[in-house]
Amino acid sequence: MKFKAVLFDFDYTLGDATESIVVGFRHAFEKMGLPEPAEDAVRRTVGYLLKDGYTMLTGDSSPERQEEFVRLFQEKCRPMQPKTTRLLPGVRALLEALKAAGVPMGIITSKRDSALQAVLEALGIRELFALTISGDQVHAPKPDPAGLLRAMETLGVTGDEVLYCGDTVIDAETARRAGTHFAAVTTGVTPAAAFQDYPCGYVARDMVDMKAWLGL
């Protein structure tokens, strides 16, 4: 185990909140008089800010409509997420192995902090992480490296000592800008081939595979 810290994205890297996210999108679109979005289309927005996900599916970049969407989405999705989000295969075993090895862990995500903390508490894994940095706690979303850089400063480690794990090219670009190592996992909607243009130490099928690659 050559890394002094391992940091993770959350959605489709550690957890799957598809059920609540799709329900939230469909509720908001219905209230806004928009056609019901397909599940696959909604899944492709995961990892982006909610307002950007709305614009990706509608082409509408009106700040007022984006704000309305986010409000309507949250009123339906937020109470569901802690109840319906599940850990992806191998995640709990990997986190427990890293904890046992004394390797500090963190989460760098575009999720809002209140939503993330509720989910981590419900899953019983909050205490495993040394820190979490959410999208509403930094000045700019990923791929801006602000969250990763803050995590490194807090943990007292350099980019060469850190591995960031994520499921999208947004995560890969974030790691590149922050100067950390990166490993991809294909449990989201991004295929392995998409990571070829980024510095990527490994592309794992899932976190069972990632754990083996890390030698844990």
Side-chain angles (χ1 to χ4, degrees):
M1 181 63 191
K2 65 179 183 178
F3 303 109
K4 292 187 177 179
V6 180
L7 305 173
F8 299 93
D9 172 52
F10 185 80
D11 283 307
Y12 292 151
T13 298
L14 298 179
D16 184 350
T18 298
E19 182 179 350
S20 60
I21 291 171
V22 171
V23 168
F25 262 83
R26 289 177 173 170
H27 170 75
F29 274 38
E30 179 183 5
K31 293 291 187 181
M32 296 173 73
L34 298 168
E36 180 178 287
E39 180 174 322
D40 285 349
V42 172
R43 280 168 52 84
R44 288 194 292 272
T45 71
V46 175
Y48 292 88
L49 295 180
L50 285 172
K51 66 181 184 67
D52 295 330
Y54 164 78
T55 299
M56 288 167 64
L57 295 192
T58 64
D60 180 4
S61 57
S62 162
E64 293 78 16
R65 292 284 278 179
Q66 289 178 332
E67 184 178 339
E68 181 184 9
F69 166 76
V70 171
R71 177 181 60 80
L72 291 167
F73 172 90
Q74 288 177 343
E75 75 179 18
K76 194 71 171 180
C77 179
R78 180 172 290 181
M80 281 187 65
Q81 279 213 353
K83 302 172 185 176
T84 60
T85 301
R86 61 181 180 82
L87 289 179
L88 289 163
V91 167
R92 192 178 298 275
L94 171 59
L95 297 179
E96 290 175 349
L98 286 167
K99 188 76 170 181
V103 179
M105 294 170 284
I107 295 175
I108 316 298
T109 177
S110 296
K111 262 179 137 55
R112 292 192 174 207
D113 184 61
S114 57
L116 176 66
Q117 299 306 326
V119 168
L120 295 180
E121 187 68 27
L123 291 170
I125 59 172
R126 177 65 190 88
E127 72 283 355
L128 296 177
F129 296 99
L131 56 81
T132 62
I133 299 176
S134 299
D136 55 345
Q137 296 177 321
V138 290
H139 70 272
K142 297 184 294 184
D144 187 287
L148 272 182
L149 293 174
R150 184 190 299 177
M152 287 190 285
E153 181 180 4
T154 301
L155 295 173
V157 292
T158 65
D160 277 347
E161 298 170 327
V162 173
L163 177 68
Y164 185 48
C165 300
D167 68 289
T168 70
V169 295
I170 299 173
D171 298 319
E173 178 63 16
T174 305
R176 175 158 62 184
R177 294 188 190 184
T180 71
H181 296 275
F182 178 73
V185 62
T186 57
T187 41
V189 299
T190 306
F195 297 101
Q196 291 178 354
D197 294 333
Y198 298 87
C200 186
Y202 189 63
V203 179
R205 295 184 304 277
D206 53 27
M207 285 305 184
V208 176
D209 188 14
M210 187 76 75
K211 181 174 179 288
W213 176 68
L214 288 170
L216 294 167

